[in-house]
Amino acid sequence: MGQLKHRDLNQHDQHQDLILLYTRLLEKTSLTKGILRESTRSPSSDSSCSVLSLLHQNNQLKKKTGELAYQVLELQQKVKDKELVLEEQRSSLLEVSRRLEGAFDSRQELQRQVEKVQEENGSLKTKYDNLLERQRREETKLREEKVKGDHLLENMIGPKQQAAARMNNRNQRRSRAREANLQKELQTAAGSKVTLDSCSSAPSSRSTSPKSPESRDGGHARLFRSSSVSSPRILSSIRELFQKRRGHSVCSLEEDQVFPVRISLSARVPVRALQVLEAHEQGINAVRFSSCSQLLATGGTDRQVKLWEVRAGSLTHRASLDGGTEGITCVEFDAAGSRILASSYDRSALLWRLDDSVPKWTLTGHSRKVTAARFSGCLHQVVTGSADRTIRLWDLQRAACVQVVAVPSYCSDLVCSENFIISGHFDSKIRVWDTRTLRCVQELPAQGKVTSLDISSDQRQLLSCCRDDCLQLVDLRGRSNDRVCFRAEGFTCGSDSTKAVISPDGCFLAAGSADGAVYIWNVSTGNLETRLPDRHSSSISAVAWSLSGEYVVSVDRSRLAVLWSDI
C-alpha cells in the first residue's frame, strides 16, 4: 500500500502541468459550447462574424486538443516505459539487497572464524612462549651439566694421566733394566770362551769326576753352558725389545700384539694405463689398497664394496660386500689386511671380514652421513667422522660408541697415527686430537675447504686436498709445522670429497682432477711430475697408490676404475 501511494505521488508530480492544461482545455471547450448555444438563440446579423470567429477558434481548439491528446498518449507510453525500467531497477535492487545480506552474513561468519583463529594463535603463542622459556631453562641446565661433566672428566683424567705416567715410568725402568741385563749377557757371552769337543767327548766331559785335573784346577778348560745368542732367555729379551706394541702402556694385553712392519719399496711414477673397467653400476667414491698391495677395495654409490685382486697388471673381481643401504663414502683395510671398514651415506659405518660378505658390525649413532671411518692406533678401536660435526670413537669388542667429540665444522676426512687423530673440516682447518683424551691439541690452517687427508707411511708428513685446487703437505715433526703448497695448471678439485694420496716412499703426491686426468707432483722439487690424461670421461673422485709402489688406481663418477703403472 505504501508503495502504491509513493507511486501515485511520483506520477502526480510528473504530470501536474499536463493535467492543468487539460483542465483549461476542457473549460474553454465548455465555454465555447455555451457561446454557440447563445448565438443560435439571437438571430442578429451583427453577431454572425463573432460566431464565425468562435467557430474558427473552436476548430483551432479541437486541433490543439487533438495534438494535446496525442502528446498525452505519448507521455503515457513514456510513463509506462519508465515504470518498466523502474520495476527492473527495483527487482535488481532487491537482488542486490539479498546479495548484500548474504555478504553481510558471510562477513560475520568470517569475522567469527578470524576471532577463533586469533584465539587459537594466542593460545599457541602462549604455549610457544612457555616452550621457549622451558628450552632456555633446559639449555642453561645443559650448559651447567656440561661444565660439571668437564670438571668431572678433568678430575677423572688427572689421576689416570698420573697413573699412566707412573706406569710408563715403571715400564721404562723395566725396559732399561732388561736392556742393561741383555747388554751384560751379550758382553759376557762375547767375552766367554767356548770349547767345542767331539760328539763322543762332550758327554764324558760333562760327567768328569772331581779327580780329573781339569776339575781340580777349576781352570779355563772346564766346559760350561754359556749365554749364547741362541739362548731362549736372550731371544725373549730381544723379542721384547723389538716388539711393536700397539697403543699405550695402560692398554690391555690383547692390544700388545706384534704386527708386521710396513716396508715399502721406491715408488715408481706411472706412465700408462694397464686396464680400464667399469667397476661399479654407479659412480665410485673411494678406493684403497691393502697392506700386501695384492688386494684393492672400491666403494660406490651403488651401496657395494667390491674387492679386486691385482695380478700381472690387471684387476680381477674377487667378492662384493653388501650390507649398506646407501652409497659408500670411504673404505679402509686394517693393518693385517683381514678386515675392511667402510663409511656410508646411511649414517653408519660397516666392518666386514674378508671371508664373509655380511658385515660383522654396523656402527650407528651419527645423525648425518659418515664421511670417514678409520682404524685407530689401538686394536679393536675405530674412529668415524660425520657431517653432523662429531667425531666418534668406537670399541669393536662391544660394537658401541665410547666417546663423542663435537667439532666446530663439517668433518670431511680423518687419518690416525699411533697417538693422534687428525681431522679435516670445511672451515679450512685441520685439527689434531690426542687419542687418550680426545681433546684438540693443535689447529693447522688450510687453503680452503678440506676434502681429504692422507698421512705418509712414516707418519711424518700430512697431505690435505682443498677446494681451492691446492694440495698442502705439512711436516708433522717440527713445532712450526712447515707447509708446502702444490698447484698445477689445469688441476681442479672436482668435489667436496676428492681424495689425494702420498706415495709409499713419500716422494710423490697424486690427485685426480675434474678434467678426468691424474696429476702427480714431485715432493722434493715441488713441480708437476706427470699428468695422466684421456682415460676418465668425468671428474676423478679418488686415487690409491699400492704400498709396493708399483701400481696407482684412479676411480671416477662414471663407474670407471683405471689401473696405472710404469710397465
Side-chain angles (χ1 to χ4, degrees), residues 485-546:
C485 294
F486 296 83
R487 298 180 185 270
E489 183 179 356
F491 173 76
T492 304
C493 184
S495 70
D496 289 342
S497 58
T498 300
K499 295 176 174 59
V501 294
I502 307 176
S503 65
D505 58 0
C507 296
F508 302 98
L509 311 178
S513 174
D515 60 0
V518 178
Y519 289 73
I520 299 177
W521 288 266
N522 190 309
V523 173
S524 60
T525 64
N527 299 325
L528 184 67
E529 185 75 17
T530 186
R531 178 179 179 272
L532 307 175
D534 304 331
R535 292 299 179 179
H536 293 278
S537 59
S538 63
S539 175
I540 297 177
S541 54
V543 180
W545 207 314
S546 66

Short mmCIF file of all heavy atoms in Angstrom, two decimals, residues 485-546:
data_model
loop_
_atom_site.label_atom_id
_atom_site.label_comp_id
_atom_site.label_asym_id
_atom_site.label_seq_id
_atom_site.Cartn_x
_atom_site.Cartn_y
_atom_site.Cartn_z
N CYS A 485 102.70 -25.89 -0.58
CA CYS A 485 101.51 -25.99 -1.42
C CYS A 485 101.91 -26.45 -2.81
O CYS A 485 102.95 -26.06 -3.35
CB CYS A 485 100.80 -24.64 -1.50
SG CYS A 485 100.11 -24.10 0.07
N PHE A 486 101.05 -27.29 -3.40
CA PHE A 486 101.28 -27.83 -4.74
C PHE A 486 100.07 -27.50 -5.61
O PHE A 486 98.93 -27.84 -5.27
CB PHE A 486 101.48 -29.36 -4.68
CG PHE A 486 102.70 -29.78 -3.91
CD1 PHE A 486 102.65 -29.89 -2.52
CD2 PHE A 486 103.90 -30.04 -4.55
CE1 PHE A 486 103.76 -30.28 -1.79
CE2 PHE A 486 105.01 -30.43 -3.82
CZ PHE A 486 104.96 -30.55 -2.46
N ARG A 487 100.35 -26.83 -6.71
CA ARG A 487 99.31 -26.49 -7.68
C ARG A 487 99.80 -26.86 -9.07
O ARG A 487 101.00 -27.09 -9.29
CB ARG A 487 98.96 -25.00 -7.64
CG ARG A 487 98.39 -24.52 -6.31
CD ARG A 487 98.09 -23.03 -6.36
NE ARG A 487 97.65 -22.51 -5.08
CZ ARG A 487 96.39 -22.46 -4.68
NH1 ARG A 487 95.43 -22.92 -5.50
NH2 ARG A 487 96.06 -21.97 -3.51
N ALA A 488 98.86 -26.88 -10.02
CA ALA A 488 99.23 -27.15 -11.41
C ALA A 488 98.17 -26.56 -12.32
O ALA A 488 96.98 -26.51 -11.97
CB ALA A 488 99.36 -28.66 -11.66
N GLU A 489 98.63 -26.11 -13.47
CA GLU A 489 97.70 -25.56 -14.45
C GLU A 489 96.78 -26.66 -14.98
O GLU A 489 97.24 -27.70 -15.44
CB GLU A 489 98.48 -24.93 -15.60
CG GLU A 489 97.60 -24.26 -16.63
CD GLU A 489 98.41 -23.62 -17.76
OE1 GLU A 489 99.66 -23.66 -17.67
OE2 GLU A 489 97.80 -23.10 -18.70
N GLY A 490 95.50 -26.45 -14.88
CA GLY A 490 94.52 -27.44 -15.32
C GLY A 490 93.96 -28.29 -14.22
O GLY A 490 92.90 -28.91 -14.38
N PHE A 491 94.65 -28.34 -13.06
CA PHE A 491 94.14 -29.17 -11.96
C PHE A 491 93.01 -28.44 -11.24
O PHE A 491 93.15 -27.28 -10.84
CB PHE A 491 95.25 -29.49 -10.97
CG PHE A 491 94.76 -30.21 -9.73
CD1 PHE A 491 94.42 -31.54 -9.80
CD2 PHE A 491 94.61 -29.54 -8.52
CE1 PHE A 491 93.95 -32.20 -8.66
CE2 PHE A 491 94.15 -30.19 -7.40
CZ PHE A 491 93.82 -31.53 -7.48
N THR A 492 91.89 -29.14 -11.07
CA THR A 492 90.72 -28.60 -10.38
C THR A 492 90.16 -29.67 -9.47
O THR A 492 89.94 -30.81 -9.90
CB THR A 492 89.64 -28.16 -11.38
OG1 THR A 492 90.19 -27.21 -12.30
CG2 THR A 492 88.47 -27.50 -10.65
N CYS A 493 89.93 -29.31 -8.22
CA CYS A 493 89.31 -30.24 -7.27
C CYS A 493 87.84 -30.38 -7.63
O CYS A 493 87.08 -29.40 -7.59
CB CYS A 493 89.49 -29.72 -5.85
SG CYS A 493 88.88 -30.84 -4.58
N GLY A 494 87.40 -31.58 -7.99
CA GLY A 494 86.09 -31.75 -8.59
C GLY A 494 84.92 -31.81 -7.64
O GLY A 494 83.78 -31.61 -8.05
N SER A 495 85.13 -32.09 -6.35
CA SER A 495 84.00 -32.22 -5.43
C SER A 495 84.49 -31.98 -4.01
O SER A 495 85.69 -31.81 -3.76
CB SER A 495 83.37 -33.62 -5.54
OG SER A 495 84.23 -34.61 -5.02
N ASP A 496 83.53 -32.01 -3.07
CA ASP A 496 83.86 -31.82 -1.65
C ASP A 496 84.45 -33.08 -1.03
O ASP A 496 84.77 -33.07 0.16
CB ASP A 496 82.60 -31.42 -0.88
CG ASP A 496 82.15 -30.01 -1.21
OD1 ASP A 496 82.97 -29.24 -1.76
OD2 ASP A 496 80.98 -29.68 -0.95
N SER A 497 84.59 -34.17 -1.79
CA SER A 497 85.15 -35.41 -1.24
C SER A 497 86.29 -35.97 -2.10
O SER A 497 86.58 -37.16 -2.03
CB SER A 497 84.05 -36.47 -1.09
OG SER A 497 83.44 -36.74 -2.35
N THR A 498 86.90 -35.13 -2.94
CA THR A 498 88.01 -35.58 -3.76
C THR A 498 89.19 -35.99 -2.86
O THR A 498 89.59 -35.26 -1.97
CB THR A 498 88.46 -34.45 -4.72
OG1 THR A 498 87.36 -34.10 -5.56
CG2 THR A 498 89.63 -34.90 -5.57
N LYS A 499 89.75 -37.18 -3.14
CA LYS A 499 90.78 -37.75 -2.27
C LYS A 499 92.12 -37.80 -2.99
O LYS A 499 92.21 -38.28 -4.13
CB LYS A 499 90.37 -39.15 -1.81
CG LYS A 499 89.14 -39.14 -0.91
CD LYS A 499 88.69 -40.54 -0.55
CE LYS A 499 87.56 -40.49 0.47
NZ LYS A 499 86.39 -39.74 -0.04
N ALA A 500 93.16 -37.30 -2.30
CA ALA A 500 94.54 -37.33 -2.79
C ALA A 500 95.37 -38.23 -1.89
O ALA A 500 95.02 -38.47 -0.73
CB ALA A 500 95.12 -35.92 -2.83
N VAL A 501 96.53 -38.72 -2.41
CA VAL A 501 97.35 -39.67 -1.65
C VAL A 501 98.82 -39.29 -1.76
O VAL A 501 99.24 -38.60 -2.70
CB VAL A 501 97.15 -41.12 -2.13
CG1 VAL A 501 95.75 -41.60 -1.86
CG2 VAL A 501 97.51 -41.25 -3.61
N ILE A 502 99.59 -39.79 -0.78
CA ILE A 502 101.05 -39.71 -0.80
C ILE A 502 101.59 -41.06 -1.26
O ILE A 502 101.05 -42.11 -0.88
CB ILE A 502 101.61 -39.37 0.60
CG1 ILE A 502 100.94 -38.10 1.15
CG2 ILE A 502 103.11 -39.19 0.56
CD1 ILE A 502 101.38 -37.75 2.56
N SER A 503 102.62 -41.05 -2.06
CA SER A 503 103.23 -42.31 -2.47
C SER A 503 103.83 -43.02 -1.26
O SER A 503 104.14 -42.39 -0.24
CB SER A 503 104.31 -42.05 -3.52
OG SER A 503 105.37 -41.30 -2.96
N PRO A 504 104.02 -44.34 -1.32
CA PRO A 504 104.52 -45.08 -0.14
C PRO A 504 105.87 -44.59 0.36
O PRO A 504 106.13 -44.65 1.56
CB PRO A 504 104.60 -46.52 -0.65
CG PRO A 504 103.66 -46.58 -1.80
CD PRO A 504 103.68 -45.24 -2.43
N ASP A 505 106.74 -44.12 -0.55
CA ASP A 505 108.04 -43.63 -0.10
C ASP A 505 108.02 -42.15 0.24
O ASP A 505 109.06 -41.58 0.61
CB ASP A 505 109.10 -43.91 -1.18
CG ASP A 505 108.72 -43.26 -2.51
OD1 ASP A 505 107.66 -42.62 -2.60
OD2 ASP A 505 109.50 -43.41 -3.48
N GLY A 506 106.86 -41.49 0.11
CA GLY A 506 106.73 -40.08 0.46
C GLY A 506 107.36 -39.13 -0.54
O GLY A 506 107.50 -37.94 -0.23
N CYS A 507 107.71 -39.61 -1.73
CA CYS A 507 108.38 -38.75 -2.71
C CYS A 507 107.43 -38.09 -3.69
O CYS A 507 107.80 -37.12 -4.36
CB CYS A 507 109.41 -39.57 -3.49
SG CYS A 507 110.76 -40.20 -2.47
N PHE A 508 106.19 -38.61 -3.81
CA PHE A 508 105.26 -38.09 -4.80
C PHE A 508 103.88 -37.90 -4.18
O PHE A 508 103.53 -38.55 -3.18
CB PHE A 508 105.16 -39.03 -6.02
CG PHE A 508 106.47 -39.28 -6.70
CD1 PHE A 508 107.20 -40.43 -6.43
CD2 PHE A 508 106.97 -38.37 -7.61
CE1 PHE A 508 108.40 -40.66 -7.06
CE2 PHE A 508 108.18 -38.59 -8.24
CZ PHE A 508 108.90 -39.75 -7.97
N LEU A 509 103.09 -37.03 -4.80
CA LEU A 509 101.70 -36.80 -4.44
C LEU A 509 100.85 -37.04 -5.67
O LEU A 509 101.24 -36.67 -6.79
CB LEU A 509 101.47 -35.37 -3.94
CG LEU A 509 102.43 -34.83 -2.87
CD1 LEU A 509 102.07 -33.38 -2.55
CD2 LEU A 509 102.35 -35.68 -1.62
N ALA A 510 99.67 -37.64 -5.49
CA ALA A 510 98.78 -37.93 -6.61
C ALA A 510 97.37 -37.50 -6.27
O ALA A 510 96.90 -37.73 -5.14
CB ALA A 510 98.82 -39.42 -6.96
N ALA A 511 96.69 -36.91 -7.25
CA ALA A 511 95.30 -36.48 -7.07
C ALA A 511 94.62 -36.46 -8.43
O ALA A 511 95.26 -36.24 -9.46
CB ALA A 511 95.23 -35.10 -6.41
N GLY A 512 93.32 -36.72 -8.40
CA GLY A 512 92.52 -36.67 -9.62
C GLY A 512 91.84 -35.33 -9.79
O GLY A 512 91.44 -34.69 -8.81
N SER A 513 91.69 -34.91 -11.03
CA SER A 513 91.14 -33.59 -11.33
C SER A 513 89.75 -33.71 -11.93
O SER A 513 89.32 -34.78 -12.37
CB SER A 513 92.07 -32.86 -12.30
OG SER A 513 91.50 -31.63 -12.71
N ALA A 514 89.06 -32.56 -11.97
CA ALA A 514 87.72 -32.53 -12.56
C ALA A 514 87.75 -32.75 -14.07
O ALA A 514 86.73 -33.11 -14.66
CB ALA A 514 87.04 -31.20 -12.25
N ASP A 515 88.91 -32.55 -14.72
CA ASP A 515 89.01 -32.76 -16.16
C ASP A 515 89.29 -34.21 -16.53
O ASP A 515 89.52 -34.52 -17.70
CB ASP A 515 90.10 -31.86 -16.75
CG ASP A 515 91.48 -32.14 -16.15
OD1 ASP A 515 91.57 -33.03 -15.28
OD2 ASP A 515 92.44 -31.45 -16.53
N GLY A 516 89.29 -35.13 -15.53
CA GLY A 516 89.47 -36.55 -15.81
C GLY A 516 90.91 -36.99 -15.93
O GLY A 516 91.17 -38.10 -16.41
N ALA A 517 91.87 -36.17 -15.48
CA ALA A 517 93.29 -36.53 -15.55
C ALA A 517 93.84 -36.71 -14.14
O ALA A 517 93.36 -36.09 -13.19
CB ALA A 517 94.09 -35.46 -16.29
N VAL A 518 94.89 -37.56 -14.01
CA VAL A 518 95.59 -37.77 -12.75
C VAL A 518 96.85 -36.92 -12.77
O VAL A 518 97.67 -37.02 -13.70
CB VAL A 518 95.94 -39.26 -12.55
CG1 VAL A 518 96.70 -39.44 -11.25
CG2 VAL A 518 94.67 -40.10 -12.53
N TYR A 519 97.01 -36.10 -11.73
CA TYR A 519 98.18 -35.22 -11.61
C TYR A 519 99.11 -35.78 -10.53
O TYR A 519 98.65 -36.14 -9.44
CB TYR A 519 97.76 -33.80 -11.26
CG TYR A 519 97.07 -33.06 -12.39
CD1 TYR A 519 95.77 -33.38 -12.75
CD2 TYR A 519 97.71 -32.05 -13.07
CE1 TYR A 519 95.13 -32.71 -13.79
CE2 TYR A 519 97.09 -31.36 -14.11
CZ TYR A 519 95.80 -31.69 -14.47
OH TYR A 519 95.16 -31.02 -15.48
N ILE A 520 100.42 -35.84 -10.83
CA ILE A 520 101.41 -36.36 -9.88
C ILE A 520 102.51 -35.32 -9.73
O ILE A 520 103.09 -34.86 -10.73
CB ILE A 520 101.99 -37.71 -10.36
CG1 ILE A 520 100.87 -38.75 -10.48
CG2 ILE A 520 103.08 -38.19 -9.41
CD1 ILE A 520 101.33 -40.09 -11.01
N TRP A 521 102.77 -34.93 -8.47
CA TRP A 521 103.79 -33.94 -8.15
C TRP A 521 105.01 -34.60 -7.52
O TRP A 521 104.89 -35.62 -6.82
CB TRP A 521 103.26 -32.89 -7.18
CG TRP A 521 102.26 -31.94 -7.75
CD1 TRP A 521 102.49 -30.71 -8.28
CD2 TRP A 521 100.84 -32.13 -7.83
NE1 TRP A 521 101.32 -30.12 -8.69
CE2 TRP A 521 100.29 -30.96 -8.42
CE3 TRP A 521 99.98 -33.16 -7.47
CZ2 TRP A 521 98.92 -30.81 -8.64
CZ3 TRP A 521 98.63 -33.03 -7.70
CH2 TRP A 521 98.10 -31.85 -8.29
N ASN A 522 106.16 -34.00 -7.71
CA ASN A 522 107.40 -34.42 -7.06
C ASN A 522 107.56 -33.60 -5.78
O ASN A 522 107.59 -32.36 -5.83
CB ASN A 522 108.60 -34.20 -7.99
CG ASN A 522 109.86 -34.84 -7.46
OD1 ASN A 522 110.24 -34.63 -6.32
ND2 ASN A 522 110.52 -35.61 -8.31
N VAL A 523 107.67 -34.27 -4.64
CA VAL A 523 107.72 -33.56 -3.35
C VAL A 523 109.01 -32.78 -3.21
O VAL A 523 109.03 -31.65 -2.70
CB VAL A 523 107.55 -34.56 -2.19
CG1 VAL A 523 107.76 -33.88 -0.85
CG2 VAL A 523 106.17 -35.20 -2.24
N SER A 524 110.12 -33.35 -3.65
CA SER A 524 111.41 -32.69 -3.45
C SER A 524 111.54 -31.43 -4.28
O SER A 524 112.09 -30.42 -3.82
CB SER A 524 112.54 -33.66 -3.78
OG SER A 524 112.44 -34.08 -5.13
N THR A 525 111.03 -31.43 -5.51
CA THR A 525 111.14 -30.25 -6.37
C THR A 525 109.93 -29.34 -6.30
O THR A 525 110.03 -28.15 -6.62
CB THR A 525 111.35 -30.69 -7.83
OG1 THR A 525 110.17 -31.42 -8.27
CG2 THR A 525 112.57 -31.58 -7.96
N GLY A 526 108.78 -29.88 -5.89
CA GLY A 526 107.56 -29.09 -5.83
C GLY A 526 106.90 -28.90 -7.18
O GLY A 526 105.89 -28.18 -7.28
N ASN A 527 107.43 -29.52 -8.23
CA ASN A 527 106.90 -29.36 -9.58
C ASN A 527 106.01 -30.53 -9.96
O ASN A 527 106.05 -31.60 -9.33
CB ASN A 527 108.04 -29.24 -10.60
CG ASN A 527 108.91 -28.04 -10.33
OD1 ASN A 527 108.41 -26.99 -9.90
ND2 ASN A 527 110.21 -28.17 -10.57
N LEU A 528 105.23 -30.32 -11.00
CA LEU A 528 104.38 -31.39 -11.52
C LEU A 528 105.25 -32.41 -12.24
O LEU A 528 105.98 -32.08 -13.19
CB LEU A 528 103.33 -30.81 -12.47
CG LEU A 528 102.30 -31.80 -13.03
CD1 LEU A 528 101.40 -32.31 -11.92
CD2 LEU A 528 101.48 -31.15 -14.13
N GLU A 529 105.17 -33.68 -11.78
CA GLU A 529 106.00 -34.73 -12.37
C GLU A 529 105.40 -35.23 -13.68
O GLU A 529 106.10 -35.39 -14.68
CB GLU A 529 106.15 -35.88 -11.37
CG GLU A 529 107.08 -36.98 -11.82
CD GLU A 529 108.54 -36.57 -11.71
OE1 GLU A 529 108.85 -35.58 -11.00
OE2 GLU A 529 109.38 -37.25 -12.33
N THR A 530 104.10 -35.51 -13.67
CA THR A 530 103.43 -36.01 -14.87
C THR A 530 101.94 -35.78 -14.76
O THR A 530 101.40 -35.54 -13.67
CB THR A 530 103.74 -37.51 -15.08
OG1 THR A 530 103.18 -37.93 -16.33
CG2 THR A 530 103.10 -38.34 -13.98
N ARG A 531 101.29 -35.88 -15.90
CA ARG A 531 99.82 -35.78 -16.00
C ARG A 531 99.35 -36.95 -16.84
O ARG A 531 99.82 -37.15 -17.97
CB ARG A 531 99.41 -34.46 -16.63
CG ARG A 531 97.92 -34.28 -16.81
CD ARG A 531 97.62 -32.90 -17.43
NE ARG A 531 96.19 -32.70 -17.63
CZ ARG A 531 95.52 -33.05 -18.71
NH1 ARG A 531 96.18 -33.65 -19.73
NH2 ARG A 531 94.23 -32.85 -18.82
N LEU A 532 98.41 -37.74 -16.29
CA LEU A 532 97.91 -38.94 -16.97
C LEU A 532 96.50 -38.67 -17.46
O LEU A 532 95.54 -38.71 -16.70
CB LEU A 532 97.92 -40.13 -16.01
CG LEU A 532 99.26 -40.42 -15.31
CD1 LEU A 532 99.09 -41.55 -14.32
CD2 LEU A 532 100.32 -40.78 -16.34
N PRO A 533 96.33 -38.36 -18.75
CA PRO A 533 95.00 -37.97 -19.26
C PRO A 533 94.33 -39.09 -20.05
O PRO A 533 94.83 -40.21 -20.16
CB PRO A 533 95.35 -36.80 -20.17
CG PRO A 533 96.68 -37.22 -20.76
CD PRO A 533 97.38 -38.09 -19.73
N ASP A 534 93.15 -38.73 -20.60
CA ASP A 534 92.46 -39.47 -21.68
C ASP A 534 91.96 -40.85 -21.29
O ASP A 534 91.75 -41.70 -22.16
CB ASP A 534 93.40 -39.63 -22.90
CG ASP A 534 93.90 -38.29 -23.40
OD1 ASP A 534 93.17 -37.29 -23.23
OD2 ASP A 534 95.02 -38.25 -23.94
N ARG A 535 91.73 -41.09 -20.00
CA ARG A 535 91.15 -42.38 -19.62
C ARG A 535 89.83 -42.20 -18.89
O ARG A 535 88.97 -43.08 -18.98
CB ARG A 535 92.13 -43.17 -18.75
CG ARG A 535 93.36 -43.64 -19.48
CD ARG A 535 93.01 -44.57 -20.62
NE ARG A 535 94.18 -45.00 -21.35
CZ ARG A 535 94.14 -45.83 -22.39
NH1 ARG A 535 92.98 -46.29 -22.82
NH2 ARG A 535 95.25 -46.17 -23.02
N HIS A 536 89.66 -41.12 -18.20
CA HIS A 536 88.42 -40.85 -17.49
C HIS A 536 87.61 -39.81 -18.26
O HIS A 536 88.17 -38.83 -18.78
CB HIS A 536 88.70 -40.33 -16.07
CG HIS A 536 89.31 -41.35 -15.17
ND1 HIS A 536 88.57 -42.31 -14.51
CD2 HIS A 536 90.61 -41.56 -14.82
CE1 HIS A 536 89.37 -43.06 -13.79
NE2 HIS A 536 90.63 -42.63 -13.95
N SER A 537 86.31 -40.03 -18.31
CA SER A 537 85.42 -39.09 -19.01
C SER A 537 84.70 -38.15 -18.05
O SER A 537 83.91 -37.32 -18.49
CB SER A 537 84.39 -39.87 -19.83
OG SER A 537 83.62 -40.72 -18.99
N SER A 538 84.94 -38.29 -16.76
CA SER A 538 84.29 -37.43 -15.76
C SER A 538 85.28 -37.15 -14.64
O SER A 538 86.43 -37.61 -14.67
CB SER A 538 83.02 -38.08 -15.21
OG SER A 538 83.34 -39.28 -14.52
N SER A 539 84.82 -36.40 -13.66
CA SER A 539 85.68 -35.98 -12.55
C SER A 539 86.18 -37.20 -11.76
O SER A 539 85.40 -38.09 -11.43
CB SER A 539 84.91 -35.03 -11.63
OG SER A 539 85.68 -34.70 -10.51
N ILE A 540 87.46 -37.20 -11.46
CA ILE A 540 88.07 -38.30 -10.67
C ILE A 540 87.79 -38.03 -9.19
O ILE A 540 88.05 -36.93 -8.69
CB ILE A 540 89.57 -38.39 -10.95
CG1 ILE A 540 89.81 -38.74 -12.42
CG2 ILE A 540 90.22 -39.43 -10.04
CD1 ILE A 540 91.27 -38.79 -12.81
N SER A 541 87.27 -39.03 -8.51
CA SER A 541 86.89 -38.86 -7.11
C SER A 541 87.96 -39.32 -6.12
O SER A 541 88.04 -38.79 -5.02
CB SER A 541 85.58 -39.63 -6.83
OG SER A 541 85.72 -40.98 -7.22
N ALA A 542 88.79 -40.31 -6.48
CA ALA A 542 89.78 -40.82 -5.53
C ALA A 542 90.93 -41.49 -6.28
O ALA A 542 90.76 -41.98 -7.41
CB ALA A 542 89.15 -41.81 -4.55
N VAL A 543 92.10 -41.53 -5.61
CA VAL A 543 93.31 -42.17 -6.15
C VAL A 543 93.93 -42.99 -5.02
O VAL A 543 93.92 -42.56 -3.86
CB VAL A 543 94.31 -41.12 -6.68
CG1 VAL A 543 95.55 -41.81 -7.22
CG2 VAL A 543 93.68 -40.26 -7.75
N ALA A 544 94.46 -44.17 -5.36
CA ALA A 544 95.16 -45.02 -4.39
C ALA A 544 96.48 -45.46 -4.98
O ALA A 544 96.58 -45.72 -6.19
CB ALA A 544 94.31 -46.24 -4.02
N TRP A 545 97.50 -45.55 -4.11
CA TRP A 545 98.86 -45.96 -4.52
C TRP A 545 99.21 -47.19 -3.71
O TRP A 545 99.15 -47.18 -2.48
CB TRP A 545 99.85 -44.84 -4.24
CG TRP A 545 101.06 -44.84 -5.14
CD1 TRP A 545 101.83 -45.90 -5.49
CD2 TRP A 545 101.62 -43.71 -5.82
NE1 TRP A 545 102.84 -45.53 -6.32
CE2 TRP A 545 102.75 -44.18 -6.55
CE3 TRP A 545 101.32 -42.36 -5.87
CZ2 TRP A 545 103.53 -43.34 -7.32
CZ3 TRP A 545 102.11 -41.52 -6.65
CH2 TRP A 545 103.21 -42.00 -7.37
N SER A 546 99.60 -48.27 -4.41
CA SER A 546 99.92 -49.52 -3.71
C SER A 546 101.16 -49.35 -2.86
O SER A 546 102.07 -48.56 -3.19
CB SER A 546 100.12 -50.65 -4.71
OG SER A 546 101.26 -50.41 -5.50
#
